[in-house]
Every structure is written in structure tokens, then in C-alpha cells.
Amino acid sequence: MAERMVGKQAPRFEMDAVLSNKEFGKVSLEENMKNDKWTVLFFYPMDFTFVCPTEITAVSDRFDEFEDLDAEVIGVSTDTIHTHLAWINTPREDNGLGDLEYALAADTNHQVAREYGVLIEEEGVALRGLFIISPEGELQYQVVNHNNIGRDVDETLRVLQALQTGGLCPANWKPGQETL
């Protein structure tokens, strides 16, 4: 039986990544917590595919909005940092990513995808999992969907803002509206 994760401390991680400046580095939940940042962690199946670049570039194009909400965005797949960099260096018009405003992390040993419950073991790739983690390290939101469906950046931003209100947000709540 699956174990509930929301409302508990998120699994800690540190991964190799291609940073926004195209250099290799590390990303970690502990670092985001130390910097009092929210973490928007999203998994995608693999580089050089069809749905993935639409999501990754859509988030990058709206990165300033995440930054304004004190959130660090981290994209993750089980590919290597070298594959990530090759994809980033491929222009968007050629199904590449072009420049990104946030890090792409490499979960090559599948440990983080497994701990977050999104690893498809028999394929060695992750489902499309999205996790929002508070600056205190509490997992406050998770959604996982099939790999053929891309996620909505507006909805991710809406949920992040709802969580940050600290209040009760009714159905169809939008930023700026009253909470309950």
C-alpha cells in the first residue's frame, strides 16, 4: 500500500544538475530550506521527447513569477547532466530547450524518483510528478499524472499562491480572492 506523503517532511535530496548558467552543479532541498525558499520539484520522463519540452520551456518562460513567490524550480529526469546540457544547447525550434531559467537535475540512480513514488521501475523513467514543498521541508502538494499529459503552469502557480496564503482556499479560488 502506498504511504501518504502530503503533510509530512519531504524526502531530502541532493542531485547533480545543469544550472541556469549551463554549468554543472548541485541542487538540494536542504539548500532551498536554508534559503527560506519554497521548492517546486517536477519530474518528467526523459530528454529529447515531445511533451516534456513544452512543459519545461513553459515553466522557464514564467520563471519570474515563481521567483516572485520565493520558489526555486527544479526539473528532474533520470537522464544524465550531459544529456540535459545537450538538450538545453539544442534550439527550441529543433525540439530542444534553449536557455532555461532554472536547473535540470539528473536522478541517474533513480533514488529520488523512487522516494517520491514516481519511478516506473521497469522503464527506469519517472511519471510526471509535481511536488510543492514549503521552506520548512513539508510536502504540501503533490500531483502525478500519466506521461502523455502535460501540466498547466497557471495551475501550478495558483496552487503555490494558495498554499502561501496559509488560509482555506475554496474551489476555483484565484489569487487576490478572499480565503475562507
Side-chain angles (χ1 to χ4, degrees), residues 40-59:
V40 176
L41 179 71
F42 74 92
F43 293 85
Y44 64 94
M46 67 179 86
D47 296 349
F48 292 101
T49 55
F50 300 102
V51 177
C52 297
T54 66
E55 290 187 307
I56 294 167
T57 59
V59 171

Side-chain angles (χ1 to χ4, degrees), residues 22-40:
K22 297 186 183 181
E23 292 182 5
F24 295 142
K26 302 262 187 202
V27 292
S28 75
L29 181 55
E30 291 290 338
E31 186 68 21
N32 291 351
M33 291 170 60
K34 186 173 79 177
N35 293 324
D36 201 34
K37 298 284 188 178
W38 289 78
T39 300
V40 176

Side-chain angles (χ1 to χ4, degrees), residues 92-110:
R92 288 186 181 189
E93 56 271 11
D94 294 331
N95 199 38
L97 300 177
D99 292 340
L100 292 181
E101 299 295 324
Y102 59 90
L104 285 188
D107 183 24
T108 54
N109 65 5
H110 307 169

Side-chain angles (χ1 to χ4, degrees), residues 2-3 16 30-31 63 72 74 79 158 177:
E3 185 178 325
D16 291 330
E30 291 290 338
E31 186 68 21
F63 180 75
E72 290 290 338
I74 302 170
D79 293 300
R158 184 191 79 83
Q177 294 178 336

Side-chain angles (χ1 to χ4, degrees), residues 123-134:
E123 296 177 30
V125 300
L127 289 166
R128 291 187 197 286
L130 173 72
F131 302 85
I132 299 178
I133 304 163
S134 74

Side-chain angles (χ1 to χ4, degrees), residues 50-101:
F50 300 102
V51 177
C52 297
T54 66
E55 290 187 307
I56 294 167
T57 59
V59 171
S60 185
D61 291 346
R62 310 259 317 262
F63 180 75
D64 289 348
E65 294 173 66
F66 288 97
E67 196 171 49
D68 289 345
L69 295 169
D70 289 324
E72 290 290 338
V73 176
I74 302 170
V76 184
S77 81
T78 57
D79 293 300
T80 69
I81 54 175
H82 303 287
T83 305
H84 288 345
L85 183 58
W87 201 24
I88 290 167
N89 284 331
T90 303
R92 288 186 181 189
E93 56 271 11
D94 294 331
N95 199 38
L97 300 177
D99 292 340
L100 292 181
E101 299 295 324

